[in-house]
Amino acid sequence: MKVFVVAAPCSNSGKTSISLGLMRAFTNRGLKVQPFKVGPDFIDPLHHESAISLQNDTINNTPRRSINLDGWMLKREETISTFWRNAKDADICIIEGVMGLFDGKDGKTEHGSTAEIAKWLNVPVILVIDCWAMSRSVAALLKGFVEFDKELRVEAVIFNRVGGDVHTAWLREAVESSVVGSSSAVKILGGIPKSDHVAVPERHLGLLLPSDFAKDGSGDGYISKLAELVEKHLNLNTILELSTFDPPIEIELQNNPASSLQTQQFLNGGPKIRIGVAKDEAFCFYYRDNERLLMSQPNVEIVHFSPLHDNSLPEDLDGLYFGGGYPEIYARELEANTEFRDSVNRLLGDGGKGVYAECGGLMYLSKGIFTQVDGDNDVQRYFEMVGILSIKTRMVKRMKMGYVSVKVREKQGNWELRGDALFEPGLECRGHVFHFSEVVESSEKTTDEEFVCAYEMTMTAAKSGQETTLDGYHLLIPSRDGSATSTVLASYVHLHWGSNPEFASSFVRFLQKNKRNKQQMN
């Protein structure tokens, strides 16, 4: 198996474009390509999956997915295990880095960086350098990256956005005279010419989605063009030669047992659970491991649905999972689909159900969204949403981003949770936030519900590294014994359950317990 990392000195150097081109180019050669993305990003992996969509290759009868590898959210052993589990049977694994090669959680360590992942896996790094505004200086830049960390295998360089053959020749001369001649022996793979017509457009949360290109009729043509560029201008055979993989440690491949033997016995003996997961253009931000962990629980079936396109929820669901995405972009369509919104309210009204929502999911479950219309950032219109949560949300111009640690509160509001919560009190997990919206508190409350904070959350600010505390949200239904049952947990945090698989088990236990209780009452 061949493995390499595509990294860069900084963001906007062309990592994603070149990674996509390489993924499609090697797919076109008949190789089974497994993509990975360093960091918490959701959008780049969607493009990765489009790049390999032409290959006739599956894992457990499902298409290969691009998998996040994040050294802050997951420990070293969990990261390596995640890599092995998804790399099996692949011919080549392409790992796209995040930000600059050494950029991570803070300025003092490599924690959460591309370099950390490359060292954990002991794989070579190909550095992509945007050379549009430099020539000989590329040698100084590359030399610094090669020598900054001797434990890191920076083995090749790609010159991106070059001005032509002469420019490429100067860049090659600079590197060959000062870097290639050293003990590092960095290989020059070629130069990609500046080509604005294949650039992937962006918006407030990042690149446009693959589904956006499908709408305008261009499909994945941009990926095909990128593949043509890398085939023409890069030495792909050299990439295969240098992409040697010497596993750093032996790890027994497992399905990440999600819980204790006692928990497994409970789940095995519980009723079958059907969990609906929202999947469409508006709800597409999910860590693949979260759904995998749910599916690995005994007696669990996952059913996908679309709040945009379906008229109602699938039948016989016991719980719902709304991920993040772009509900603000599709607010008009989501509001217009009143039949579907009514079906969500009916499911909650049926009793014994549970709903977990992240970021865009929180916005959808709120009373409504204030968002821009027709591209005018200064004019906002209100769109009605499901209304389960007694809050509203609105789009803002300032981004909120950073890594987050959460701990489920044991006391929430005036209520003690006694095992009647989607996530059991005391559980801890890691994730991240990345959004341009905020909660607008509502004075409207029902008589039998209380909207309270569910998490103790600590956020590491992306720029300063300082710790700040935040709150999540639970919808609690008080009971006569002084406790409370949480049927809905909604938060801006995207949790990676791989950091604590008990979150998946706890969600399933809650749904099974409620279903069993309802069956006994009937």
Side-chain angles (χ1 to χ4, degrees):
M1 181 172 66
K2 303 293 185 179
V3 187
F4 63 90
V5 173
V6 178
C10 61
S11 298
N12 299 317
S13 296
K15 292 190 305 292
T16 301
S17 294
I18 289 177
S19 294
L20 294 175
L22 290 171
M23 290 172 189
R24 175 59 63 83
F26 284 120
T27 295
N28 290 342
R29 291 189 173 196
L31 299 179
K32 296 178 182 178
V33 179
Q34 173 59 56
F36 294 90
K37 172 65 182 180
V38 179
D41 184 85
F42 294 110
I43 299 176
D44 288 351
L46 295 174
H47 288 277
H48 294 175
E49 291 166 9
S50 290
I52 65 169
S53 61
L54 299 181
Q55 65 186 17
N56 184 22
D57 181 35
T58 62
I59 298 179
N60 297 327
N61 297 319
T62 60
R64 285 190 183 272
R65 302 299 186 187
S66 182
I67 305 298
N68 293 86
L69 301 174
D70 191 294
W72 187 86
M73 291 195 292
L74 301 181
K75 296 178 181 178
R76 181 178 186 270
E77 293 76 14
E78 293 164 341
T79 301
I80 297 175
S81 181
T82 296
F83 173 81
W84 271 112
R85 184 172 54 252
N86 292 281
K88 63 183 179 182
D89 300 327
D91 296 317
I92 186 168
C93 297
I94 301 177
I95 306 171
E96 183 191 346
V98 60
M99 299 186 292
L101 176 57
F102 299 103
D103 300 329
K105 174 180 178 289
D106 52 44
K108 298 178 293 184
T109 70
E110 65 182 12
H111 208 21
S113 70
T114 302
E116 179 181 57
I117 297 297
K119 289 166 66 175
W120 282 357
L121 298 176
N122 188 28
V123 294
V125 174
I126 297 174
L127 198 68
V128 177
I129 300 179
D130 184 344
C131 298
W132 178 246
M134 70 172 73
S135 56
R136 187 166 183 257
S137 296
V138 72
L141 179 63
L142 180 58
K143 191 176 184 68
F145 272 82
V146 169
E147 298 181 357
F148 184 77
D149 185 343
K150 294 295 186 180
E151 296 180 5
L152 188 64
R153 297 170 55 189
V154 181
E155 297 191 3
V157 61
I158 294 173
F159 305 136
N160 193 29
R161 297 212 315 148
V162 299
D165 293 341
V166 174
H167 187 193
T168 302
W170 289 353
L171 296 167
R172 184 181 293 274
E173 289 172 356
V175 172
E176 288 178 342
S177 64
S178 57
V179 181
V180 174
S182 68
S183 59
S184 60
V186 175
K187 294 180 174 60
I188 300 172
L189 299 177
I192 301 292
K194 185 176 183 293
S195 181
D196 292 335
H197 72 279
V198 295
V200 184
E202 299 186 31
R203 59 185 165 207
H204 58 287
L205 291 181
L207 301 178
L208 294 183
L209 302 180
S211 57
D212 295 315
F213 295 94
K215 288 181 201 173
D216 66 16
S218 60
D220 65 354
Y222 68 103
I223 297 178
S224 297
K225 293 176 182 177
L226 291 169
E228 292 172 3
L229 281 174
V230 302
E231 279 279 11
K232 182 177 181 180
H233 297 282
L234 300 183
N235 191 330
L236 302 192
N237 291 331
T238 299
I239 293 178
L240 293 176
E241 291 171 3
L242 66 84
S243 303
T244 57
F245 180 50
D246 183 18
I249 58 176
E250 292 295 329
I251 291 186
E252 182 180 355
L253 291 180
Q254 303 178 17
N255 288 325
N256 274 12
S259 49
S260 65
L261 177 61
Q262 182 179 4
T263 294
Q264 288 296 314
Q265 290 174 341
F266 177 89
L267 295 174
N268 279 320
K272 182 177 180 179
I273 295 298
R274 281 168 53 91
I275 301 175
V277 179
K279 284 285 185 73
D280 58 24
E281 304 94 305
F283 301 96
C284 51
F285 293 174
Y286 295 90
Y287 290 123
R288 301 300 185 188
D289 274 347
N290 288 12
E291 192 167 323
R292 178 188 63 82
L293 286 167
L294 285 176
M295 290 190 295
S296 71
Q297 309 297 315
N299 300 320
V300 171
E301 179 186 2
I302 299 296
V303 183
H304 293 142
F305 63 85
S306 169
L308 275 176
H309 307 297
D310 294 343
N311 293 326
S312 65
L313 285 168
E315 295 182 355
D316 301 323
L317 294 182
D318 302 292
L320 301 178
Y321 179 3
F322 290 92
Y326 289 105
E328 68 275 15
I329 292 178
Y330 297 96
R332 192 188 308 271
E333 293 89 339
L334 291 171
E335 179 188 58
N337 196 351
T338 56
E339 291 183 49
F340 188 88
R341 291 192 285 121
D342 290 343
S343 73
V344 176
N345 277 295
R346 283 197 302 272
L347 181 133
L348 267 295
D350 189 30
K353 314 295 184 177
V355 180
Y356 173 61
E358 296 180 334
C359 199
L362 177 149
M363 299 170 69
Y364 182 62
L365 296 183
S366 73
K367 288 186 173 296
I369 301 173
F370 292 96
T371 187
Q372 293 82 8
V373 294
D374 301 325
D376 189 339
N377 292 331
D378 296 321
V379 178
Q380 289 194 335
R381 176 185 158 185
Y382 179 71
F383 295 91
E384 289 188 0
M385 294 291 118
V386 175
I388 291 175
L389 304 178
S390 56
I391 58 170
K392 299 175 182 178
T393 62
R394 66 184 173 198
M395 300 303 297
V396 295
K397 295 181 180 180
R398 184 177 180 181
M399 175 181 65
K400 298 176 183 177
M401 180 179 72
Y403 282 124
V404 175
S405 302
V406 310
K407 181 178 181 180
V408 182
R409 293 177 184 268
E410 307 227 359
K411 183 177 178 63
Q412 301 185 9
N414 297 319
W415 310 100
E416 296 283 352
L417 292 185
R418 302 173 183 173
D420 291 322
L422 266 70
F423 300 141
E424 293 176 1
L427 286 181
E428 298 182 22
C429 196
R430 288 188 167 190
H432 92 293
V433 294
F434 182 38
H435 57 95
F436 283 84
S437 66
E438 64 183 8
V439 168
V440 181
E441 298 290 350
S442 174
S443 59
E444 306 171 28
K445 290 185 178 180
T446 61
T447 57
D448 60 345
E449 296 174 347
E450 183 170 347
F451 194 58
V452 300
C453 296
Y455 297 147
E456 294 174 5
M457 301 204 293
T458 302
M459 177 178 179
T460 301
K463 293 184 178 180
S464 66
Q466 296 177 344
E467 305 289 324
T468 58
T469 57
L470 304 166
D471 287 315
Y473 300 93
H474 251 157
L475 184 66
L476 300 184
I477 301 178
S479 59
R480 294 180 180 178
D481 64 0
S483 64
T485 298
S486 167
T487 59
V488 178
L489 193 156
S491 168
Y492 269 118
V493 183
H494 298 276
L495 291 179
H496 196 307
W497 292 349
S499 66
N500 188 351
E502 274 292 332
F503 270 70
S505 299
S506 180
F507 187 27
V508 173
R509 282 197 300 270
F510 173 83
L511 298 178
Q512 286 189 335
K513 179 179 179 180
N514 285 352
K515 187 169 186 176
R516 183 186 292 110
N517 290 341
K518 187 172 182 180
Q519 289 173 342
Q520 292 173 350
M521 290 175 61
N522 294 335

